Amino acid sequence: MIKFCDVNKWYGGYQALADINAEVKRGEVVVVCGPSGSGKSTLIRTVNRLEEIQSGELMFDGQNVHARMSGTQLNRLRSHIGFVFQSFNLFPHLSALDNIMLSPMKIKGVDRAKAHDKAMQLLDRVGLASKASAHPAQLSGGQQQRVAIARALAMEPPAMLFDEPTSALDPEMVGEVLAVMRSLANEGMTMMCVTHEMGFAREVADRVWFMDAGRIVEIATPDKFFGNPEHPRAKRFLSDLRTRH
Amino acid sequence: MLINIYHIIADNWLLLLIGQFPNGPLGGIAATLLLSILGIGLAFPLSILVALARLSPWPVLSWPATALVYVMRGVPLLMIIFWVYFLLPLLIGRIVPGFLAMVCTLVVYEAAFLSEIVRAGIQALPKGQMDAARALGHSHLSAMRYIILPQALYNMIPSILSQFVSTIKETTLGYVINVPELTFAASQINNQLLTQPFEVFFVLASIYFAVCWTLTQLTNWLERRIAAKRAGRGASELLVVDGVAVIKPETVQEVRQ
Ligand SMILES: Nc1ncnc2c1ncn2[C@@H]1O[C@H](COP(=O)(O)OP(=O)(O)OP(=O)(O)O)[C@@H](O)[C@H]1O
Ligand SMILES: [Mg+2]
């Protein structure tokens, strides 16, 4: 469903992504991890073209994401890819409900009543039906991130991307967000998650991609990766991660 | 001297208030305020377009908008008043009344300055807002309209009001092309009395000061209110966070251990 073929990206003279070849199959959950600055955010942001690539090919659901296309085509493509940010990025001037309703109404032309029903359903699903009229600043970080997930789901994307969705949260709120992600995975959603939550990766991921210095240096099942990583950099990364926790 | 000031006001208050209206054109402080309101009111929508053009990825739009802003910032308002007053009639082939020329000048001039305020307001928003909008599939314009501008314009209300105060002071320059506003009225009074320029212009300054000071106070109040509204939400956020932290079972366990 998401396929990278020889993808390279430079920021000026700095190569942020090098020879990326990997695939997320339909219904698969892939966890991307790696040290800070290894290019995880850059990688995930190329999938919906928030970042451009300089060479190679990136397919999403049969479409070449980085082909030359009109703005309208690109917007339509992006609306099929759910994206959840580390910093939530809810729209602070809108209530939780309006955050979720805005895009279906303005982009897909869904009428208000339908959008409202769908949004309430999604809020219920992330356990926040009672917070429909709250503004983002009145919500805790964990609640904001759950609304952000609901907002992305409202566009009914066939795949969801998560860029460190729990890194900005206080530890006691991580669980509630992971629970929502876990239930999505169980329903067969195709997911690409940048995260360092090892428990989540072990339990939910079909595959782990480990990145270092702009390259994917190891692709393995979670059991293999956490039990017996091959790449020396991955070994060091995991032991660092364990000592930190 | 206080007596003189009293007499000036007592004899001329209507002239200072509305000029020779209804027997002549509207003047005095009413015309000053009307000029300022028209100037800012019409400049405001234009300034949003100029700001969007400056920030747009297309050079055909951003270049002319940037040029307009630089010219307006680099040229004294008086020059622009002269250009409009003397050049516009040559271009359109008929005389332009002073009031209209002044409105046109103010609209163009204020649009350039307001557009810088709008642009700063847009750029001050976190980059994640635009990222989130684009990731959902909004076009650049749709993101601006529904997500960026509503936030930016709300934050800018105090700046726009203080630009309005500057505009009130700038309308005094209309005097040079005989726009019948407050300064014009005062100088009419001065020409009548001949011997009391200090008192006349003291009254004039006091009126401007009273109006501008009031508006500045209003601006400050609004600024505090907008800041308080953000902080208030922030405070309630802390409360909610605390609430969650307190009732979470893990926390209770941690406390027990
Ligand atoms: N806009 C940019 N311009 C120049 N360099 C950039 C830019 N964005 C990222 N980089 C560089 O690219 C590299 C990869 O960054 P990226 O944000 O993808 O890392 P990451 O793996 O997500 O790290 P983190 O765990 O800290 O989020 C970093 O060295 C970073 O400094
Ligand atoms: Mg990152």
Side-chain angles (χ1 to χ4, degrees), chain B residues 32-134:
Chain B
T32 291
L33 289 176
L34 187 64
L35 268 176
S36 313
I37 290 168
L38 280 176
I40 288 284
L42 297 174
F44 180 60
L46 195 62
S47 73
I48 295 176
L49 294 181
V50 174
L52 289 181
R54 272 203 85 178
L55 291 171
S56 86
W58 305 289
V60 240
L61 291 178
S62 63
W63 272 83
T66 309
L68 175 78
V69 172
Y70 275 60
V71 169
M72 291 299 142
R73 285 175 63 163
V75 177
L77 179 56
L78 194 57
M79 301 300 113
I80 300 165
I81 293 173
F82 283 147
W83 284 350
V84 173
Y85 190 62
F86 294 115
L87 284 182
L88 204 57
L90 294 182
L91 290 178
I92 62 173
R94 69 165 75 160
I95 288 174
V96 178
F99 189 88
L100 187 62
M102 193 63 197
V103 169
C104 293
T105 310
L106 284 176
V107 168
V108 177
Y109 191 72
E110 294 307 325
F113 278 82
L114 281 180
S115 80
E116 288 291 271
I117 297 178
V118 175
R119 189 171 70 108
I122 290 173
Q123 288 180 327
L125 294 180
K127 196 176 151 292
Q129 291 291 306
M130 192 48 137
D131 279 353
R134 298 315 295 269

Side-chain angles (χ1 to χ4, degrees), chain A residues 45 78 89-90 92-93 103 137, chain B residues 129 134-135 138 146 233 237:
Chain A
R45 286 166 64 93
R78 279 182 176 146
N89 297 344
L90 288 181
H93 61 303
S103 303
Chain B
Q129 291 291 306
R134 298 315 295 269
H138 286 274
Y146 298 112
R233 282 192 185 159
E237 178 187 359

Side-chain angles (χ1 to χ4, degrees), chain A residues 68-101:
Chain A
R68 193 169 281 180
M69 63 174 87
S70 71
T72 321
Q73 285 171 311
L74 179 57
N75 294 334
R76 184 167 320 126
L77 176 61
R78 279 182 176 146
S79 73
H80 294 306
I81 307 175
F83 200 105
V84 176
F85 297 85
Q86 177 174 0
S87 48
F88 330 135
N89 297 344
L90 288 181
F91 307 134
H93 61 303
L94 300 177
S95 67
L97 188 68
D98 287 333
N99 261 279
I100 302 173
M101 286 167 64

Side-chain angles (χ1 to χ4, degrees), chain A residues 9 11-12 14-17 34-43 45 51 86 163-164 194 196 211 214:
Chain A
K9 172 173 181 71
Y11 287 115
Y14 178 80
Q15 186 159 18
L17 295 177
S36 180
S38 58
K40 307 177 298 292
S41 298
T42 308
L43 181 76
R45 286 166 64 93
E51 298 288 350
Q86 177 174 0
D163 187 5
E164 305 207 33
V194 176
H196 291 154
M211 291 189 73

